[in-house]
Amino acid sequence: MSANNGILTYNNSLYNISSVYYSPTATIPVTEQILGSLYCFLSRVLPWDNDALPPAPTQDTKYINQTFKNMFFVKKITTNDISPVIERINWTTATVYEYYQDDVNMFTLDPNGSITKNFYVKNRFDQVFKCLWNNSGATSTVEPYFEPGTFNANQIFQGVDNYKWKYMYTITSGNKLKYMDEAWMPVPIGKSLPNAVSSTAGIGDIEVINITSPGTNYDAVNAAISVVITGDGTGASANVVLSGDTISDITIANTGSNYTYANVSIVSTQGTGATATAYVSPIGGHGYNPVNELGTRHVMLTCSFTRDESGNLPTDIDFRQLGVILNPSAYFGTTIGLANAVNYKTTTDFILSQGFGIYTPDEIVYQSPSGLLVNSTFSATVLSFDSTTNTLKLINTLGTANNSGIIYGNSSGTTRVVLQQQTPTFMLYSGNIIYIENREPTQRNSDGSEQFKLVLGY
């Protein structure tokens, strides 16, 4: 038996997130066909056994097929509807935050899959910071914020609590509205692609040096105090900050570049005992690649459904299921190709004759030579019925309907004649369902819209 051991690193999550993010714009050479087509689907109008407690979805073939059968509308998800997200951590006073260390796994998870190290925060201005020093485990009492005059040349905020916070990015108002909620906040992906090694920091720089022991009896007037940085990079330099005869802090004069490790010693002919640590930044420097540096493992997909979506989505219904399909197909005349329209109705629509009675949502309708459901040759579930246009929208169809035949309403008792059938151009049962979410009923109306935020983890 092999004794080899291996792990998937956190960069595997970054790969998956990037794949989802760029899939709607990636194309196959020569054909220029979109490589990954994502659609959000709406499904299930029938009640759960307990609508207040929807069951967990399953992945067996029967369940997946039933989900397809119950679909009635899909809408395209573009790159503009996708963002990497991380757990939302609001800065809170009197909290001890973890700080970045290059020899510690900053992304460990608890049994529930939540991060265990709160080493980044969002302030009240939607600015995101990474903690580079927590004053040896003290509580944070000064909220970091980013504006001219509040940070040093390396964009590091340091308050009177001696926490050191690296400014990472600001969540824009548009991204806040679209991708932030009580649990999640967006991360910009734009810096993930360039070669970080070619940045100013190169492989890594030194942006903070933290005092672990202040020492005693130092006197800069009578004896020079030097900060000696050794490692495999070049150019880093720093100066001490004295408080009486002790060293209270070290400021960075030059961050240097291309370090993978660094050691610090404080040298003086007068004074002893001061020690400090220097942790090397991630490749490219702190803030170069927020998606990677903050341990991003989730991506949020958003989709909005507005009114009747140009007549394709009924507004007099409720539904209980939604999800995501990857690479579904559609009919293009006599050919089949990758779906690419903005949206598709997936219902089978009947144009019916004039008559009395109204088909009701969720009821079973059928055609039968005897007029009885038990002998039906075609059956379906009513999604909606427009009595003005006499259009009956159906899902969960079984069998083949005949024009000029009567369509019976099993619970309403309504009977009308089928004049015309319209089958969807979207190809049901095509593509791969990659996410399913069962929900309490969502009631649609003619003036409203719904926005859904779906979070996928990797």
Side-chain angles (χ1 to χ4, degrees), residues 226-301:
S226 300
V227 179
V228 179
I229 302 171
T230 57
D232 56 353
T234 59
S237 60
N239 302 304
V240 300
V241 176
L242 281 177
S243 178
D245 66 350
T246 64
I247 297 175
S248 59
D249 199 3
I250 293 178
T251 59
I252 301 297
N254 192 319
T255 59
S257 62
N258 294 321
Y259 287 89
T260 66
Y261 75 93
N263 297 308
V264 176
S265 58
I266 299 170
V267 179
S268 177
T269 58
Q270 184 172 331
T272 60
T275 58
T277 58
Y279 293 109
V280 174
S281 75
I283 296 172
H286 291 292
Y288 183 86
N289 186 348
V291 170
N292 201 13
E293 294 176 48
L294 300 179
T296 309
R297 311 178 321 280
H298 296 84
V299 62
M300 180 180 287
L301 288 68

Side-chain angles (χ1 to χ4, degrees), residues 69-253:
K69 290 184 74 172
N70 287 321
M71 281 182 200
F72 56 89
F73 188 76
V74 299
K75 187 170 184 178
K76 195 169 191 177
I77 297 171
T78 70
T79 296
N80 292 330
D81 304 315
I82 304 172
S83 175
V85 291
I86 54 177
E87 289 92 331
R88 176 174 171 176
I89 302 176
N90 296 329
W91 180 87
T92 306
T93 190
T95 300
V96 177
Y97 292 99
E98 302 277 353
Y99 69 97
Y100 167 83
Q101 301 172 70
D102 62 10
D103 57 355
V104 171
N105 181 357
M106 303 303 298
F107 312 134
T108 55
L109 307 176
D110 66 19
N112 296 319
S114 300
I115 59 172
T116 61
K117 292 180 170 57
N118 56 344
F119 68 100
Y120 64 84
V121 297
K122 181 191 77 68
N123 68 11
R124 76 185 89 171
F125 309 110
D126 298 323
Q127 298 168 338
V128 178
F129 292 82
K130 177 166 61 171
C131 184
L132 301 187
W133 180 237
N134 68 356
N135 194 20
S136 299
T139 60
S140 177
T141 57
V142 180
E143 182 178 24
Y145 63 97
F146 184 82
E147 68 176 3
T150 65
F151 53 90
N152 65 22
N154 299 322
Q155 297 185 337
I156 293 173
F157 176 91
Q158 184 171 356
V160 295
D161 59 3
N162 286 323
Y163 266 68
K164 297 177 183 179
W165 297 98
K166 173 71 177 188
Y167 170 77
M168 299 292 287
Y169 62 93
T170 297
I171 301 171
T172 66
S173 57
N175 283 345
K176 178 179 180 178
L177 179 65
K178 198 165 188 178
Y179 302 114
M180 193 165 80
D181 58 22
E182 291 300 316
W184 304 99
M185 62 186 192
V187 187
I189 200 170
K191 292 184 179 181
S192 298
L193 292 179
N195 184 2
V197 176
S198 65
S199 71
T200 303
I203 297 171
D205 63 5
I206 299 170
E207 300 186 27
V208 295
I209 296 177
N210 301 317
I211 292 293
T212 53
S213 176
T216 188
N217 295 324
Y218 288 94
D219 182 355
V221 175
N222 297 311
I225 306 171
S226 300
V227 179
V228 179
I229 302 171
T230 57
D232 56 353
T234 59
S237 60
N239 302 304
V240 300
V241 176
L242 281 177
S243 178
D245 66 350
T246 64
I247 297 175
S248 59
D249 199 3
I250 293 178
T251 59
I252 301 297

